[in-house]
């Protein structure tokens, strides 16, 4: 698709916004006809190829956004666009040298060239002292020469991003001493000269934000001690050990400290040193901290300390931190009860500790909580019915505790609930509603109930109204962002809902919950009866695990409708009949197990099925064909004769299912999602789906 030709006849047009489209074409040179344009945005519009030189005809242009496309080659000379003040080329495939003509534009103050393939350093004339550039973003390029020296001549810069430049030389911070107005500097992913991290490195005294992530640092930089206007410090993903220096908390304007993924083991001074600090966002995750949790600053908004060795109880002082919105203490050794005041916190993750008692019945109407994860503790009792007051609740995980209760049908009243994991507890009773209709959760994406004592059968309409909302604003379920506003910009840190994946001994701890996932795990319960054909309505289903139950009857023919299915486990039931031939058409199916049932007939001979291990089909006396060694027929019998009865039976089931589906009508189901992705025996397949278990940046 290309822009309509009539668009190029609007010669008096001043504002044109075509962002977030799918044009999938080269950038038309006819845009150059619109020579009265002042604001022109093509962000995320699917354009590719080179920018036509006719862009220089837009002499009235002030704002130009070409970011997040697939534009290539060198950027054309635009010295004729003398009014240009903002140029955004972020996330394209531009290469070559940064045109020096950009630096001579008299009004250009914002230039974003991040995530491209620029290799050659720009040339900045020595006489260039009048450049108005304030915001310059060059990160994630491949500069071969020294980029620091020419940048140091742009003395009006306030924001500078030189992250992940792939340079072979260490960066000396003293080269930035000429940038007296600099307040935001990002050098993440580069090799920093150790000598330049001392207190006499001449970093501009107005510096407010300095990011040194992934720089291989082994010591906490003393340079911060002299920067009294510092607001945000990020030294995450380095190799720093020892204790956090006590002087850090005395910086008067410090709002954000991110030291996650290092080897810190404590705090200089007492654990009370933070109380009077101005810090609002404190990220200590994935270090070696021990002992009691520190007393938090009164102004704290977000505290993340997961994957450490903190011990003791959650301090009661947390209840007095009324601005606290994020509390992430997962994977520690905390004991005692779940605090009763956490219902007013938006994001609560207490996973994998040693907490005891019950989940408190203190959730009040209007509670702001969206995520509550108390999995892998020692909690008992029942699910608190006061959760019904949490109309914003999206993610609820209580797996691997000792909770004894019936299935919480009452939670379907929560309008936003997308994730529900109840596995490995003492839940019991039926999972079908008393009226034997659909389960009825309006937005449920994640349901994981394995390893309990659920009983009964699934009604024929059980899966009818399960859906995954299409109105998702981001890639992940439960994505919570903390904004740290300041006069110079906005720092954004995200907190993602995560879940433990476990299958056949393969563990993926704290994998991100993706909205694109759709899976069901009812395994290891006491469920019986037929598997409903309505399972075929879940078009987005990626993984299905019904193993280790007492299901009878045939494998539903409607499974052939699940074109996205990647993992299927129906092993250790009492299923009979044949394996539906339509399963061989599921091109994404990477794992299947129907072992230890009462199946018969030939295994469908599709690439995705015959490539499985023999163990996926063993324990079925009547099965034959690859990957099993048993042949399906001898030389005197044809396959058609041998399976005629089975095929007639399958055809009857398919006709019945089509009739049922037609009765439901279109639009019945968008899809159902659950984050407990069932991994195959192939680790590389699981990694391909969810990616490696990476720590938060």
């Amino acid at each position: 698709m290309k822009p309509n030709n009539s668009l190029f006849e609007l010669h008096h047009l001043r504002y044109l916004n075509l962002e977030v489209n799918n044009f999938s074409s080269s950038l038309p040179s006819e845009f150059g006809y619109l020579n009265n344009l002042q604001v022109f945005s093509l962000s995320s519009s699917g354009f590719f190829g080179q920018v036509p030189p006719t862009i220089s005809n837009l002499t009235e242009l002030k704002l130009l956004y070409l970011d997040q496309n697939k534009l290539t080659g060198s950027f054309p000379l635009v010295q004729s666009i003398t009014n240009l003040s903002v140029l955004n080329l972020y996330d394209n495939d531009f290469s070559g040298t940064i045109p020096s003509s950009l630096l001579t534009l008299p009004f250009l103050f914002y230039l974003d060239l991040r995530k491209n393939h620029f290799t050659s350093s720009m040339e900045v004339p020595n006489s260039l002292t009048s450049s108005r550039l304030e915001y310059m973003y060059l990160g994630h390029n491949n500069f071969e020469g020294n980029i620091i020296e020419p940048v140091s001549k742009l003395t009006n810069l306030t924001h500078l991003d030189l992250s992940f430049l792939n340079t072979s030389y260490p960066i000396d911070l003293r080269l930035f001493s000429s940038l007296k107005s600099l307040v935001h500097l990002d050098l993440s992913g580069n090799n920093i000269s150790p000598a330049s991290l001392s207190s006499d490195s001449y970093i501009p005294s107005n510096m407010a934000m300095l990011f040194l992530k992934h720089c291989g640092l082994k010591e906490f930089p003393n340079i911060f001690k002299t920067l009294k206007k510092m607001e945000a410090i990020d030294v995450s993903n380095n190799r720093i050990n020892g204790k956090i220096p006590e002087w850090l908390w005395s910086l008067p304007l410090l709002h954000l400290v991110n030291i996650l993924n290092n080897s810190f083991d404590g705090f200089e001074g007492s654990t009370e040193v933070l109380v009077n600090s101005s810090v609002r966002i404190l990220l200590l995750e994935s270090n070696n901290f021990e002992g009691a949790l520190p007393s938090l600053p009164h102004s704290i908004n977000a505290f993340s300390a997961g994957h450490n060795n903190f011990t003791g109880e959650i301090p009661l002082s947390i209840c007095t931190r009324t601005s606290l919105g994020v509390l992430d203490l997962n994977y520690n050794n905390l004991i005692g009860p779940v605090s009763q005041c956490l219902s007013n916190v938006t994001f609560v993750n207490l996973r994998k500790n040693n907490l005891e008692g019950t989940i408190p019945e203190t959730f009040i109407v209007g509670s702001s909580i969206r995520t509550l994860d108390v999995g892998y503790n020692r909690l008992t009792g029942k699910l608190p019915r006061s959760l019904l007051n949490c109309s914003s609740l999206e993610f609820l995980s209580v797996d691997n505790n000792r909770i004894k209760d019936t299935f919480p049908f009452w939670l379907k009243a929560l309008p936003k609930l997308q994730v529900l994991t109840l596995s490995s507890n003492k839940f019991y009773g039926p999972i079908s509603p008393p009226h034997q209709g659909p389960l009825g959760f309006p937005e449920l994406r994640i349901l994981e109930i394995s390893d309990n004592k659920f009983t009964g059968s699934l009604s024929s309409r059980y899966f009818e109204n399960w859906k995954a909302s299409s109105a998702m604003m981001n890639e992940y379920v439960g994505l919570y962002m903390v904004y740290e506003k300041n006069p110079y910009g906005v720092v954004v840190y995200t907190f993602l809902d995560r879940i433990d994946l476990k299958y056949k001994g393969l563990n993926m701890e704290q994998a991100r919950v993706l909205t694109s996932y759709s899976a069901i795990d009812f395994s290891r319960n006491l469920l019986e009866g037929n598997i409903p054909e309505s399972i075929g309505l879940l078009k987005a289903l990626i993984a299905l695990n019904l193993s280790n139950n007492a299901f009878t009857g045939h494998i539903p023919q409607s499974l052939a409708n699940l074109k996205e299915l990647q993992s299927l486990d129906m092993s250790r039931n009492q299923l009979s009949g044949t394996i539906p031939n339509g399963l061989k058409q599921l091109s994404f199916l990477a794992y299947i197990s129907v072992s230890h049932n009462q199946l018969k007939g030939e295994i469908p001979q599709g690439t995705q099925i015959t490539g499985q291990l023999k163990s996926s089909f063993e324990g079925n006396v009547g099965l034959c064909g690859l990957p099993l060694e048993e042949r399906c027929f001898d030389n005197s019998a044809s396959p058609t004769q041998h399976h005629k009865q089975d095929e007639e039976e399958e055809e009857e089931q398919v006709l019945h299912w089509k009739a049922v589906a037609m009765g439901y009508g279109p639009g019945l189901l968008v899809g159902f999602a659950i984050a407990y992705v069932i991994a195959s025996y192939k680790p590389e397949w699981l990694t391909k789906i969810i990616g490696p278990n990476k720590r938060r940046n």
Side-chain angles (χ1 to χ4, degrees):
M1 183 178 69
K2 290 185 177 182
N4 194 303
N5 286 334
S6 60
L7 172 67
F8 305 124
E9 299 175 4
L10 303 175
H11 300 297
H12 298 288
L13 193 65
R14 294 188 177 185
Y15 180 96
L16 179 58
N17 186 345
L18 298 176
E19 63 186 30
V20 192
N21 276 290
N22 188 24
F23 288 112
S24 298
S25 73
S26 58
L27 199 60
S29 60
E30 289 86 350
F31 277 126
Y33 299 158
L34 307 177
N35 52 13
N36 280 306
L37 275 181
Q38 295 182 5
V39 179
F40 187 21
S41 178
L42 299 177
S43 303
S44 303
S45 293
F47 287 110
F48 56 81
Q50 294 190 334
V51 176
T54 54
I55 197 80
S56 61
N57 295 339
L58 306 181
T59 55
E60 301 297 318
L61 203 59
K62 296 180 179 180
L63 309 179
L64 176 58
Y65 298 91
L66 300 178
D67 53 293
Q68 301 179 83
N69 285 285
K70 296 181 180 179
L71 301 173
T72 59
S74 58
F75 191 74
L77 299 177
V78 290
Q79 60 264 39
S80 60
I81 312 180
T82 55
N83 292 316
L84 194 64
S85 60
V86 172
L87 176 60
N88 191 342
L89 306 182
Y90 166 76
D91 198 7
N92 278 284
D93 295 312
F94 289 112
S95 58
T97 304
I98 299 173
S100 58
S101 60
L102 292 177
L103 306 179
T104 62
L105 295 176
F107 298 107
L108 187 68
F109 79 94
Y110 184 102
L111 178 62
D112 192 345
L113 306 180
R114 289 173 298 161
K115 289 194 174 182
N116 279 282
H117 303 292
F118 290 110
T119 55
S120 300
S121 179
M122 58 189 173
E123 296 182 6
V124 179
N126 291 326
S127 59
L128 184 63
T129 58
S130 60
S131 172
R132 295 194 179 186
L133 263 179
E134 295 182 20
Y135 296 79
M136 190 173 195
Y137 302 101
L138 304 178
H140 293 271
N141 278 285
N142 300 299
F143 293 109
E144 298 171 352
N146 190 338
I147 190 69
I148 308 299
E149 185 176 351
V151 166
S152 66
K153 299 177 182 179
L154 304 173
T155 55
N156 287 321
L157 285 177
T158 60
H159 289 63
L160 178 59
D161 181 353
L162 297 174
S163 60
F164 298 93
L165 293 181
N166 289 327
T167 56
S168 58
Y169 52 87
I171 293 177
D172 191 333
L173 299 185
R174 287 170 288 198
L175 293 175
F176 298 103
S177 60
S178 60
L179 305 180
K180 303 299 184 182
S181 301
L182 201 61
V183 296
H184 182 177
L185 177 60
D186 191 347
L187 297 175
S188 300
N190 292 296
N191 182 11
I192 308 297
S193 170
S196 67
L197 291 172
S198 61
S199 59
D200 61 346
S201 55
Y202 305 105
I203 284 290
S205 59
N206 288 324
M207 185 71 67
M209 290 176 279
L210 180 56
F211 297 160
L212 300 172
K213 302 181 292 183
H214 296 277
C215 289
L217 304 180
K218 297 181 180 180
E219 296 181 357
F220 194 85
N222 284 327
I223 183 177
F224 294 119
K225 190 173 183 178
T226 63
L227 300 175
K228 300 302 182 181
K229 295 185 179 181
M230 187 60 63
E231 296 182 8
I233 292 174
D234 192 337
V235 293
S236 60
N237 295 281
N238 282 288
R239 293 178 287 172
I240 307 173
N241 55 29
K243 300 185 184 303
I244 303 176
E246 187 172 359
W247 55 258
L248 179 65
W249 315 111
S250 64
L251 295 178
L253 302 179
L254 190 62
H255 289 165
L256 184 150
V257 175
N258 183 0
I259 63 170
L260 68 82
N261 201 8
N262 279 283
S263 298
F264 289 102
D265 57 17
F267 303 85
E268 283 186 357
S270 71
T271 57
E272 301 291 324
V273 294
L274 283 73
V275 174
N276 296 318
S277 168
S278 59
V279 171
R280 298 177 185 175
I281 302 175
L282 180 56
L283 310 179
L284 309 180
E285 184 178 347
S286 300
N287 279 280
N288 298 322
F289 288 103
E290 298 179 336
L293 289 166
S295 296
L296 299 179
H298 292 288
S299 58
I300 195 74
N301 297 142
F303 179 52
S304 174
H307 291 267
N308 280 288
N309 298 307
F310 284 113
T311 56
E313 297 188 2
I314 300 174
L316 293 176
S317 61
I318 282 184
C319 294
T320 66
R321 301 327 191 233
T322 55
S323 59
L324 185 64
V326 172
L327 181 64
D328 190 349
L329 302 176
N330 72 96
Y331 284 70
N332 278 285
N333 295 304
L334 301 172
I335 60 173
V338 176
S339 178
Q340 296 189 6
C341 63
L342 297 182
S343 60
N344 291 322
V345 182
T346 299
F347 183 103
V348 178
N349 189 344
L350 305 177
R351 190 173 190 81
K352 281 213 170 182
N353 281 282
N354 297 308
L355 302 174
E356 297 180 326
T358 61
I359 303 174
E361 279 271 10
T362 55
F363 299 96
I364 59 175
V365 175
S367 171
S368 61
I369 194 165
R370 295 183 181 180
T371 287
L372 177 60
D373 189 344
V374 292
Y376 280 91
N377 281 285
R378 301 175 181 177
L379 302 176
T380 56
K382 296 184 177 182
L383 288 180
R385 269 46 179 180
S386 62
L387 284 171
L388 283 174
N389 296 322
C390 305
S391 58
S392 298
L393 191 65
E394 297 178 4
F395 184 108
L396 177 60
S397 181
V398 300
D399 59 304
N400 288 275
N401 280 285
R402 303 167 186 174
I403 297 173
K404 188 174 183 180
D405 203 348
T406 56
F407 186 84
F409 296 107
W410 45 275
L411 284 176
K412 67 183 179 182
L414 297 180
K416 297 181 180 180
L417 188 64
Q418 300 178 47
V419 178
L420 178 60
T421 64
L422 309 176
S423 63
S424 300
N425 277 283
K426 297 181 179 181
F427 285 96
Y428 62 93
I431 61 171
S432 279
H435 53 78
Q436 290 298 303
L439 184 60
F441 283 69
E443 297 295 332
L444 195 62
R445 286 182 168 272
I446 298 172
L447 181 62
E448 204 286 324
I449 62 173
S450 63
D451 288 293
N452 281 288
K453 295 186 182 299
F454 288 117
T455 58
S457 58
L458 306 180
S459 67
S460 60
R461 301 178 58 199
Y462 194 77
F463 299 105
E464 275 187 26
N465 293 332
W466 290 18
K467 65 179 181 179
S469 173
S470 59
M472 297 303 296
M473 297 185 64
N474 48 65
E475 183 184 2
Y476 301 100
V477 172
L479 174 60
Y480 303 112
M481 294 180 288
V482 174
Y483 296 87
E484 178 55 33
K485 294 185 178 180
N486 51 70
Y488 315 108
V490 177
V491 178
V492 180
Y493 279 87
T494 60
F495 294 84
L496 301 171
D497 289 329
R498 297 165 182 253
I499 199 165
D500 291 340
L501 312 180
K502 182 175 68 175
Y503 185 68
K504 287 185 179 294
L506 180 62
N507 292 281
M508 296 291 292
E509 293 184 344
Q510 296 289 274
R512 292 175 178 177
V513 177
L514 302 187
T515 63
S516 59
Y517 288 168
S518 174
I520 297 172
D521 189 350
F522 289 178
S523 63
R524 296 178 293 279
N525 279 286
L526 303 172
L527 303 175
E528 57 188 12
N530 293 336
I531 300 171
E533 287 282 352
S534 57
I535 189 71
L537 291 169
L538 307 182
K539 304 294 186 182
L541 202 64
I542 286 178
L544 174 63
N545 190 349
L546 303 177
S547 66
N548 289 273
N549 281 285
F551 286 113
T552 55
H554 291 201
I555 297 175
Q557 299 289 327
S558 61
L559 288 179
N561 297 332
L562 307 182
K563 304 300 183 183
E564 304 297 321
L565 197 64
Q566 298 179 18
S567 179
L568 174 63
D569 193 344
M570 294 185 166
S571 62
R572 298 188 182 277
N573 282 284
Q574 300 171 27
L575 300 172
S576 58
T578 59
I579 300 175
N581 200 46
L583 294 185
K584 70 181 182 181
Q585 305 298 329
L586 301 181
S587 57
F588 294 113
L589 193 62
Y591 178 84
I592 182 173
S593 179
V594 293
S595 63
H596 300 285
N597 279 284
Q598 300 167 16
L599 301 171
K600 62 182 180 179
E602 184 178 8
I603 298 171
Q605 297 299 289
T607 304
Q608 299 297 99
I609 294 180
T610 57
Q612 302 289 322
L613 295 176
K614 291 191 297 183
S615 58
S616 294
F617 301 95
E618 65 185 7
N620 293 279
V621 177
L623 278 184
C624 56
L626 294 176
L628 296 178
E629 297 177 354
E630 291 81 1
R631 299 183 62 183
C632 287
F633 46 85
D634 56 33
N635 293 333
S636 61
S638 69
T640 303
Q641 293 171 334
H642 193 78
H643 297 296
K644 183 177 181 180
Q645 182 177 355
D646 291 338
E647 290 177 352
E648 290 176 351
E649 191 174 341
E650 286 187 8
E651 183 177 357
E652 180 180 351
Q653 292 180 7
V654 170
L655 290 174
H656 171 71
W657 168 240
K658 287 182 177 179
V660 172
M662 289 174 65
Y664 291 151
L668 180 63
L669 181 68
V670 176
F672 165 76
I674 171 174
Y676 190 106
V677 179
I678 305 170
S680 76
Y681 62 90
K682 302 177 180 178
E684 66 273 13
W685 171 74
L686 180 64
T687 302
K688 185 176 181 181
I689 297 177
I690 65 172
N693 181 20
K694 296 182 179 177
R695 288 170 171 166
R696 239 169 287 179
N697 289 335

Coordinates of all heavy atoms in Angstrom, one line a residue, residues 535-572:
I535 N -13.0 -26.9 22.9 CA -11.6 -26.5 23.0 C -11.1 -25.9 21.7 O -10.2 -25.1 21.7 CB -10.8 -27.7 23.5 CG1 -9.3 -27.3 23.8 CG2 -10.7 -28.8 22.4 CD1 -9.2 -26.5 25.1
G536 N -11.7 -26.3 20.6 CA -11.3 -25.9 19.3 C -11.6 -24.4 19.0 O -11.2 -23.9 18.0
L537 N -12.4 -23.8 19.9 CA -12.7 -22.4 19.7 C -11.5 -21.5 20.1 O -11.5 -20.3 19.8 CB -13.9 -22.0 20.6 CG -15.3 -22.6 20.2 CD1 -16.3 -22.4 21.2 CD2 -15.7 -21.9 18.9
L538 N -10.6 -22.0 20.9 CA -9.5 -21.2 21.4 C -8.4 -21.1 20.3 O -7.3 -21.7 20.4 CB -8.9 -21.8 22.7 CG -10.0 -22.1 23.8 CD1 -9.3 -22.7 25.0 CD2 -10.8 -20.9 24.1
K539 N -8.7 -20.2 19.4 CA -7.8 -20.1 18.2 C -6.4 -19.7 18.5 O -5.5 -20.1 17.7 CB -8.4 -19.1 17.2 CG -9.8 -19.4 16.8 CD -9.9 -20.7 16.0 CE -11.3 -20.9 15.4 NZ -11.5 -22.2 14.7
A540 N -6.2 -19.0 19.6 CA -4.8 -18.5 19.9 C -4.1 -19.5 20.8 O -2.9 -19.1 21.2 CB -4.9 -17.2 20.6
L541 N -4.6 -20.6 21.1 CA -4.0 -21.5 22.0 C -2.6 -22.0 21.5 O -2.4 -22.4 20.4 CB -4.9 -22.8 22.2 CG -4.6 -23.6 23.5 CD1 -5.0 -22.7 24.7 CD2 -5.5 -24.8 23.5
I542 N -1.6 -21.8 22.4 CA -0.2 -22.2 22.1 C 0.2 -23.5 22.8 O 0.9 -24.3 22.2 CB 0.7 -21.1 22.4 CG1 0.6 -20.0 21.4 CG2 2.2 -21.6 22.5 CD1 1.5 -18.8 21.7
A543 N -0.3 -23.7 24.0 CA 0.1 -24.9 24.8 C -1.1 -25.4 25.5 O -1.9 -24.7 26.1 CB 1.2 -24.6 25.7
L544 N -1.3 -26.7 25.5 CA -2.4 -27.4 26.2 C -1.9 -28.6 26.9 O -1.2 -29.5 26.3 CB -3.5 -27.8 25.2 CG -4.6 -28.6 25.7 CD1 -5.4 -27.8 26.7 CD2 -5.5 -29.1 24.6
N545 N -2.1 -28.7 28.3 CA -1.7 -29.8 29.1 C -2.9 -30.3 29.9 O -3.3 -29.6 30.8 CB -0.5 -29.4 30.0 CG 0.1 -30.6 30.7 OD1 -0.4 -31.7 30.6 ND2 1.2 -30.4 31.3
L546 N -3.4 -31.5 29.5 CA -4.4 -32.1 30.3 C -4.0 -33.5 30.8 O -4.8 -34.3 31.2 CB -5.6 -32.4 29.3 CG -6.2 -31.1 28.7 CD1 -7.4 -31.5 27.7 CD2 -6.7 -30.1 29.7
S547 N -2.7 -33.7 30.9 CA -2.1 -35.0 31.3 C -2.4 -35.3 32.8 O -2.8 -34.5 33.6 CB -0.6 -34.9 31.1 OG 0.0 -34.0 32.0
N548 N -2.3 -36.6 33.1 CA -2.4 -37.1 34.4 C -3.8 -36.8 35.0 O -3.9 -36.3 36.1 CB -1.3 -36.6 35.3 CG 0.0 -37.3 35.0 OD1 0.4 -38.3 35.5 ND2 0.8 -36.6 34.1
N549 N -4.8 -37.1 34.3 CA -6.2 -37.1 34.8 C -6.9 -38.4 34.4 O -6.2 -39.4 34.2 CB -6.9 -35.9 34.1 CG -6.6 -34.6 34.8 OD1 -7.0 -34.3 35.9 ND2 -5.7 -33.7 34.2
A550 N -8.2 -38.4 34.4 CA -9.0 -39.6 34.0 C -9.9 -39.3 32.9 O -11.0 -39.8 32.8 CB -9.7 -40.1 35.2
F551 N -9.5 -38.4 31.9 CA -10.3 -38.1 30.8 C -10.6 -39.4 29.9 O -9.7 -40.2 29.7 CB -9.7 -37.1 29.9 CG -9.8 -35.7 30.5 CD1 -8.6 -35.0 30.9 CD2 -11.0 -35.0 30.6 CE1 -8.7 -33.7 31.5 CE2 -11.0 -33.7 31.2 CZ -9.9 -33.1 31.6
T552 N -11.8 -39.5 29.4 CA -12.2 -40.7 28.6 C -12.7 -40.1 27.2 O -12.7 -38.9 27.0 CB -13.2 -41.5 29.2 OG1 -14.4 -40.7 29.6 CG2 -12.7 -42.1 30.5
G553 N -13.1 -41.0 26.4 CA -13.6 -40.6 25.1 C -12.4 -40.4 24.1 O -11.3 -40.8 24.3
H554 N -12.8 -39.7 23.0 CA -11.8 -39.5 21.9 C -11.1 -38.1 22.1 O -11.6 -37.2 22.7 CB -12.5 -39.5 20.6 CG -13.0 -40.9 20.2 ND1 -13.3 -41.2 18.9 CD2 -13.3 -42.0 21.0 CE1 -13.8 -42.5 18.9 NE2 -13.8 -42.9 20.1
I555 N -9.9 -38.0 21.5 CA -9.2 -36.8 21.4 C -10.1 -35.9 20.4 O -10.4 -36.3 19.3 CB -7.8 -36.9 20.8 CG1 -7.0 -37.8 21.7 CG2 -7.2 -35.6 20.5 CD1 -5.6 -38.1 21.2
P556 N -10.4 -34.7 20.8 CA -11.3 -33.8 20.0 C -10.7 -33.6 18.6 O -9.6 -33.2 18.5 CB -11.4 -32.5 20.8 CG -11.1 -32.9 22.2 CD -10.1 -34.0 22.1
Q557 N -11.6 -33.8 17.6 CA -11.2 -33.4 16.3 C -10.9 -31.9 16.1 O -10.1 -31.5 15.3 CB -12.3 -33.8 15.3 CG -12.6 -35.3 15.3 CD -11.5 -36.1 14.6 OE1 -10.8 -35.6 13.7 NE2 -11.3 -37.3 15.1
S558 N -11.6 -31.1 16.9 CA -11.5 -29.7 16.8 C -10.1 -29.2 17.2 O -9.8 -28.0 16.9 CB -12.5 -29.0 17.7 OG -12.3 -29.4 19.1
L559 N -9.2 -30.0 17.7 CA -7.8 -29.6 18.0 C -7.1 -29.1 16.7 O -6.2 -28.4 16.7 CB -7.0 -30.7 18.7 CG -7.4 -31.0 20.1 CD1 -6.5 -32.1 20.7 CD2 -7.2 -29.7 21.0
A560 N -7.6 -29.7 15.6 CA -7.0 -29.3 14.3 C -7.2 -27.8 14.0 O -6.6 -27.3 13.1 CB -7.6 -30.2 13.2
N561 N -8.2 -27.2 14.7 CA -8.4 -25.8 14.4 C -7.4 -24.9 15.1 O -7.4 -23.7 14.9 CB -9.8 -25.4 14.9 CG -10.9 -26.1 14.2 OD1 -10.7 -26.4 13.0 ND2 -12.0 -26.3 14.8
L562 N -6.6 -25.4 16.0 CA -5.7 -24.6 16.8 C -4.4 -24.5 16.1 O -3.4 -25.1 16.4 CB -5.5 -25.3 18.2 CG -6.7 -25.6 19.0 CD1 -6.4 -26.2 20.3 CD2 -7.6 -24.4 19.1
K563 N -4.4 -23.6 15.1 CA -3.2 -23.4 14.2 C -2.0 -22.9 14.9 O -0.9 -23.0 14.3 CB -3.6 -22.5 13.0 CG -4.9 -23.0 12.3 CD -4.7 -24.4 11.6 CE -5.9 -24.8 10.8 NZ -5.8 -26.1 10.3
E564 N -2.1 -22.3 16.0 CA -1.0 -21.7 16.7 C -0.4 -22.7 17.7 O 0.6 -22.4 18.4 CB -1.4 -20.4 17.4 CG -2.0 -19.4 16.6 CD -1.0 -18.9 15.5 OE1 0.2 -18.8 15.8 OE2 -1.4 -18.7 14.4
L565 N -1.0 -23.9 17.9 CA -0.6 -24.8 19.0 C 0.9 -25.3 18.8 O 1.3 -25.7 17.7 CB -1.5 -26.0 18.9 CG -1.5 -26.9 20.2 CD1 -2.0 -26.1 21.4 CD2 -2.3 -28.1 20.0
Q566 N 1.6 -25.2 19.9 CA 3.0 -25.6 19.9 C 3.4 -26.7 20.8 O 4.3 -27.4 20.6 CB 3.9 -24.4 20.2 CG 3.8 -23.2 19.3 CD 4.6 -22.0 19.7 OE1 5.6 -22.1 20.5 NE2 4.3 -20.8 19.2
S567 N 2.5 -26.9 21.8 CA 2.8 -28.0 22.7 C 1.5 -28.6 23.2 O 0.5 -27.9 23.5 CB 3.5 -27.5 24.0 OG 3.8 -28.5 24.9
L568 N 1.4 -30.0 23.1 CA 0.1 -30.7 23.4 C 0.5 -31.9 24.3 O 1.3 -32.7 23.8 CB -0.6 -31.1 22.1 CG -1.8 -32.0 22.3 CD1 -2.9 -31.3 23.0 CD2 -2.3 -32.5 20.9
D569 N -0.1 -32.0 25.5 CA 0.2 -33.1 26.3 C -1.1 -33.6 26.9 O -1.8 -33.0 27.6 CB 1.1 -32.7 27.5 CG 1.6 -33.9 28.3 OD1 1.1 -35.0 28.1 OD2 2.6 -33.7 29.0
M570 N -1.5 -34.8 26.4 CA -2.7 -35.5 26.9 C -2.4 -36.9 27.5 O -3.2 -37.8 27.6 CB -3.7 -35.7 25.8 CG -4.3 -34.4 25.3 SD -5.6 -34.6 24.0 CE -6.3 -32.9 24.0
S571 N -1.1 -37.1 27.9 CA -0.6 -38.3 28.4 C -1.3 -38.8 29.7 O -1.8 -37.9 30.4 CB 0.9 -38.3 28.5 OG 1.2 -37.3 29.5
R572 N -1.3 -40.0 29.9 CA -1.7 -40.6 31.2 C -3.2 -40.3 31.5 O -3.5 -39.7 32.5 CB -0.8 -40.3 32.3 CG 0.6 -40.8 32.1 CD 1.5 -40.6 33.3 NE 2.9 -41.1 33.0 CZ 3.3 -42.4 33.0 NH1 2.4 -43.3 33.4 NH2 4.5 -42.7 32.7

